[in-house]
Amino acid sequence: MYRYDEFDHRLVKERVTQFRGQVERRLAGDITEDQFKPLRLMNGVYLQLHAYMLRVAVPYGTLSGSQMHMLADIATKYDKGYGHFTTRQNIQYNWPALSDIPAILDDLASVEMHAIQTSGNCIRNVTSDQYAGAAAGEVDDPRIWSEIIRQWSTFHPEFTFLPRKFKFAVCGMNEDRAAIRFHDIGIEVVKGKDDAPAFDIYVGGGQGRTPMIGHLIGAAVPAVDLIAYLESIMRVYNMNGRRDNLYKARIKILVHALGAEEMKRQVEEEFVHVKEKGVVHLPEEEIARIRAYFAPPAYETLPDESSALNEAMADNKKFADWVKTNVAEHKVDGYAIANISLKPVGGVAGDASDDQMHVMADLAAQYSFDELRVTHEQNIVLAHVKKDDLFALWQGLEKAALGTPNLALITDHIVCPGLDYCALANARSIPISQEIAERFNDLDRQHNIGELKVKISGCINACGHHHVGHIGILGVDKKGTEFYQISLGGSADENASIGDILGPAFTEDEIADAIETIVETYINIRQEGERFIDTYARVGKEPFKETLYATH
Amino acid sequence: MAQHTNKRATTQAVTANRLLDGEVVYFTADGSWSDWLKDADVADGKEACAALLAKTEPSVAAQQVVEPYLFEVAVEDGAIVPASVREKIRMAGPTIRLDLGKQAASA
């Protein structure tokens, strides 16, 4: 893992001191809310429906056991005993008092964490693949490049007042778990000259009210030019992005207006200019320094087959079910990637209690080199677990109600906080997720349905990624009543697609029935081996529309 | 926040969040702020509502609350009831965590 150097420490410490002063001046009445609001937002502090909300950055989703312990301690000491893991791989606290926030930031700084780049019109916390460094077939660990981008972008004076917020995602292989095509800039590490890491750069993806898939404009950009190329994109955006209209200010609108070819031409023109002016070339030594932080852990030499695992699976169906859904292949023999689902039926997607955070941190220390990852699908990953240890790990998780075996099944949803917490929301998301999970609670049924990603947003801002759900649900407000619009066929992976809206929206009472009708339609028409998304790609929306609205 | 005001509403109360801790509060007839909607002052008609909102200006200046706004209510059997789901949730707490928010204290 990356560790702070003296500059990082100083920068974060100074920022906390500065914010403490700003809070004091606000409380003393020396600055107004209009003056304070942009300052608090630059420090991750929002005002929600019931209270303030503090969003803490987890750079590229990776954190240590001691950091997770601190997140738990903050939940206990300053909040209501829980935190919410988000699609930006961050954590949010829903109840902090404004006057406590400087102290929380002090505590975070003590474990090399902060709330910088979690809000405002800057380059936000960079997200990445939760299987980084563990997935077979990876060209390079995407966290190395995410960290380099973090260091370049943090407090970059040129990019602190962009037309709008700006999100990067990086993945290290052609299997995309980071939704790179739905980010302002998405980066895939590819093999360049002499097999050295190079970068395919996608621009102009995003969700919100105008969902767009990013365009590849930079192919196999060499490492030495990475920052110069990114800087060129940022400059074209900063110069030409619309500041006159909030809804047209994201880079996706600029790319759409110019066309990908023209965007590429302008970026390349700027790139030539930037290189002539003597921009930051990434020195080899600096790449090597950052790379060293992400060196593979000290794996043992093990046979790939684990008789302990096989026996435990044979003896315990519940454990076998968990392995089947929640455990993924690791690149090193004898190791596995364990996914901890934060989607228990009846729970709140992405929420974890302080006790659960402590348990996850302890288990990470014991079984996964003291490191955890937050996923953009709001789960947690222990990336390097010995297959021999999986049973003991699962037992530990089960004791803390963290052993839900539903990864990528119909009860594993992305869900925004919705109108239960969020000041922007039009409708609640969490109760809809809970109703659907209850409806499909039967695990055999979930397995029979297979991979099916349901994503739910409580407003058009699409924090719940409904545009890219195999089944997407969007909450809307119609004269003070919540309605839910369904779209089908979205996908956030390397086969990126935006869901098609099916038809008129449903009420809260109708939505679970509607989802069941869609699922049953799929079961009836699917062909051997087809996942929901495959069937949808083959038949389109008509069969689903027919069955759904025939009875409605 | 002001975008949550229903311009066609006739009966309204004023709500805000307390500066210090973000708690939802309601403006009362004696010019103070209460945690409870039952204590809110209710105005009828455009002018009375505007006047009610104007009365909150000193407490904004005094750093008590943030962004006060009018919201539609009905008075049913003597109880003040918000018209929108949003305000019903603000007055109670998250619908999926009944142990949190005002509903926890009033239970």
Side-chain angles (χ1 to χ4, degrees):
Chain A
M1 266 190 71
Y2 182 72
R3 297 302 311 264
Y4 278 13
D5 60 19
E6 60 185 299
F7 302 107
D8 295 302
H9 276 295
R10 197 177 70 200
L11 181 139
V12 170
K13 217 174 156 190
E14 285 177 358
R15 184 58 171 252
V16 176
T17 305
Q18 183 189 51
F19 188 58
R20 174 171 280 113
Q22 290 162 347
V23 170
E24 281 167 6
R25 281 185 284 146
R26 175 69 187 109
L27 295 178
D30 297 339
I31 49 176
T32 65
E33 185 60 20
D34 285 346
Q35 291 167 323
F36 180 62
K37 192 173 176 180
L39 302 175
R40 69 167 158 78
L41 286 174
M42 282 181 185
N43 291 280
V45 183
Y46 291 72
L47 185 55
Q48 299 270 59
L49 287 190
H50 312 291
Y52 289 99
M53 180 269 278
L54 176 66
R55 183 180 292 154
V56 176
V58 181
Y60 33 91
T62 298
L63 71 168
S64 68
S66 59
Q67 289 175 327
M68 184 65 109
H69 279 304
M70 179 56 81
L71 295 179
D73 289 341
I74 288 169
T76 310
K77 193 171 169 189
Y78 300 106
D79 210 84
K80 306 249 182 204
Y82 71 104
H84 176 73
F85 291 99
T86 78
T87 56
R88 296 289 303 156
Q89 300 178 301
N90 294 323
I91 185 170
Q92 293 179 181
Y93 296 103
N94 288 310
W95 307 90
L98 180 60
S99 47
D100 282 339
I101 290 175
I104 298 175
L105 296 178
D106 268 338
D107 286 357
L108 288 169
S110 73
V111 292
E112 304 183 359
M113 295 186 87
H114 56 70
I116 298 162
Q117 289 175 291
T118 62
S119 183
N121 293 338
C122 62
I123 295 175
R124 300 284 189 91
N125 184 36
V126 179
T127 55
S128 188
D129 180 1
Q130 64 271 21
Y131 292 175
E138 193 173 79
V139 176
D140 198 13
D141 191 324
R143 293 171 303 169
I144 298 162
W145 308 100
S146 303
E147 175 57 29
I148 286 168
I149 294 167
R150 186 192 74 79
Q151 296 200 10
W152 159 72
S153 64
T154 300
F155 299 155
H156 193 308
E158 195 177 330
F159 309 129
T160 300
F161 297 97
L162 294 167
R164 198 77 177 84
K165 59 188 170 183
F166 204 97
K167 299 175 181 177
F168 277 73
V170 186
C171 72
M173 60 192 292
N174 56 12
E175 211 174 298
D176 178 10
R177 281 173 289 268
I180 64 165
R181 289 159 187 82
F182 290 97
H183 282 74
D184 296 286
I185 292 183
I187 300 174
E188 178 186 327
V189 189
V190 295
K191 282 185 182 171
K193 201 178 166 203
D194 301 327
D195 283 348
F199 306 91
D200 277 358
I201 298 177
Y202 294 81
V203 174
Q207 299 193 56
R209 67 183 60 229
T210 319
M212 304 249 185
I213 298 174
H215 298 271
L216 178 66
I217 65 161
V221 174
V224 67
D225 289 335
L226 176 65
I227 295 302
Y229 197 87
L230 296 178
E231 200 146 302
S232 304
I233 295 171
M234 298 308 298
R235 284 192 177 163
V236 170
Y237 172 54
N238 218 356
M239 283 295 290
N240 302 320
R242 289 185 59 174
R243 292 170 189 269
D244 61 320
N245 184 336
L246 181 71
Y247 303 119
K248 295 190 173 178
R250 297 289 288 264
I251 196 173
K252 64 189 172 186
I253 304 295
L254 177 66
V255 175
H256 183 71
L258 292 177
E261 275 308 309
E262 174 60 14
M263 182 71 190
K264 181 179 171 162
R265 191 195 66 75
Q266 291 194 18
V267 168
E268 285 176 357
E269 194 177 273
E270 183 64 30
F271 184 53
V272 171
H273 179 71
V274 159
K275 291 213 315 185
E276 280 171 2
K277 286 275 179 187
V279 74
V280 181
H281 287 286
L282 257 181
E284 278 298 328
E285 315 80 71
E286 183 59 11
I287 297 171
R289 187 181 76 86
I290 302 290
R291 179 179 295 281
Y293 287 113
F294 299 97
Y299 298 117
E300 292 173 35
T301 304
L302 298 165
D304 196 37
E305 188 92 355
S306 161
S307 52
L309 171 62
N310 294 341
E311 281 164 27
M313 285 177 71
D315 290 346
N316 189 322
K317 183 179 180 305
K318 218 174 160 189
F319 171 60
D321 282 337
W322 180 77
V323 173
K324 188 175 162 188
T325 51
N326 289 37
V327 174
E329 239 180 274
H330 197 284
K331 67 180 181 185
V332 174
D333 283 355
Y335 283 83
I337 301 168
N339 287 275
I340 304 171
S341 167
L342 297 182
K343 319 291 171 61
V345 174
V348 175
D351 278 12
S353 71
D354 43 8
D355 289 343
Q356 286 178 320
M357 287 187 243
H358 284 305
V359 167
M360 290 190 282
D362 286 340
L363 291 170
Q366 199 169 354
Y367 299 117
S368 193
F369 300 98
D370 198 29
E371 185 218 74
L372 309 97
R373 287 95 184 271
V374 182
T375 83
H376 90 270
E377 292 181 319
Q378 300 178 282
N379 293 311
I380 302 290
V381 163
L382 302 184
H384 314 286
V385 181
K386 274 194 276 185
K387 287 181 179 175
D388 290 347
D389 289 338
L390 281 171
F391 186 60
L393 168 66
W394 174 77
Q395 286 178 307
L397 292 171
E398 273 285 280
K399 271 188 218 160
L402 288 166
T404 309
N406 66 349
L407 198 83
L409 298 179
I410 192 170
T411 58
D412 175 13
H413 312 149
I414 289 182
V415 190
C416 76
L419 193 53
D420 279 300
Y421 291 101
C422 177
L424 300 175
N426 292 320
R428 288 170 298 154
S429 309
I430 300 165
I432 303 306
S433 162
Q434 291 179 330
E435 282 168 41
I436 295 167
E438 292 283 356
R439 183 67 64 95
F440 292 96
N441 191 10
D442 183 274
L443 191 60
D444 291 335
R445 189 180 183 199
Q446 290 185 51
H447 279 292
N448 180 36
I449 295 164
E451 183 187 297
L452 209 172
K453 298 194 173 187
V454 177
K455 304 184 181 184
I456 308 171
S457 305
C459 80
I460 194 62
N461 291 317
C463 297
H465 291 197
H466 66 276
H467 293 301
V468 295
H470 298 168
I471 297 177
I473 300 174
L474 166 64
V476 294
D477 171 276
K478 289 188 186 177
K479 294 181 182 166
T481 306
E482 298 156 295
F483 277 82
Y484 297 91
Q485 191 178 69
I486 298 175
S487 54
L488 298 183
S491 177
D493 64 15
E494 60 279 7
N495 303 307
S497 62
I498 294 163
D500 305 310
I501 296 169
L502 269 192
F506 296 87
T507 64
E508 183 187 358
D509 292 340
E510 295 167 334
I511 190 73
D513 287 340
I515 301 303
E516 192 157 31
T517 302
I518 289 165
V519 170
E520 289 306 318
T521 305
Y522 151 67
I523 301 278
N524 290 336
I525 64 176
R526 71 180 170 188
Q527 294 179 351
E528 185 70 27
E530 270 184 350
R531 300 166 304 161
F532 179 89
I533 191 72
D534 304 324
T535 301
Y536 186 81
R538 178 171 57 81
V539 303
K541 71 177 174 183
E542 286 310 318
F544 297 97
K545 214 172 155 177
E546 278 168 28
T547 52
L548 191 59
Y549 292 103
T551 54
H552 185 52
Chain B
M1 288 285 189
Q3 73 269 29
H4 300 291
T5 298
N6 178 357
K7 286 180 187 149
R8 281 170 297 186
T10 52
T11 308
Q12 301 187 91
V14 176
T15 183
N17 291 81
R18 196 155 55 212
L19 174 65
L20 206 58
D21 57 6
E23 180 77 36
V24 174
V25 288
Y26 301 96
F27 193 63
T28 69
D30 67 8
S32 64
W33 293 88
S34 168
D35 286 9
W36 307 102
L37 180 57
K38 66 179 173 57
D39 301 330
D41 194 9
V42 174
D44 257 312
K46 205 174 167 184
E47 283 176 16
C49 288
L52 182 63
L53 185 61
K55 280 191 210 168
T56 66
E57 281 167 17
S59 44
V60 173
Q63 293 81 51
Q64 291 174 17
V65 298
V66 180
E67 297 181 353
Y69 62 95
L70 289 159
F71 69 105
E72 188 177 9
V73 296
V75 181
E76 294 172 5
D77 299 329
I80 305 169
V81 182
S84 69
V85 181
R86 174 191 162 90
E87 292 305 329
K88 283 176 183 153
I89 292 171
R90 283 184 81 245
M91 73 174 265
T95 62
I96 37 73
R97 285 290 303 265
L98 302 183
D99 58 325
L100 299 174
K102 298 180 191 299
Q103 60 201 350
S106 62

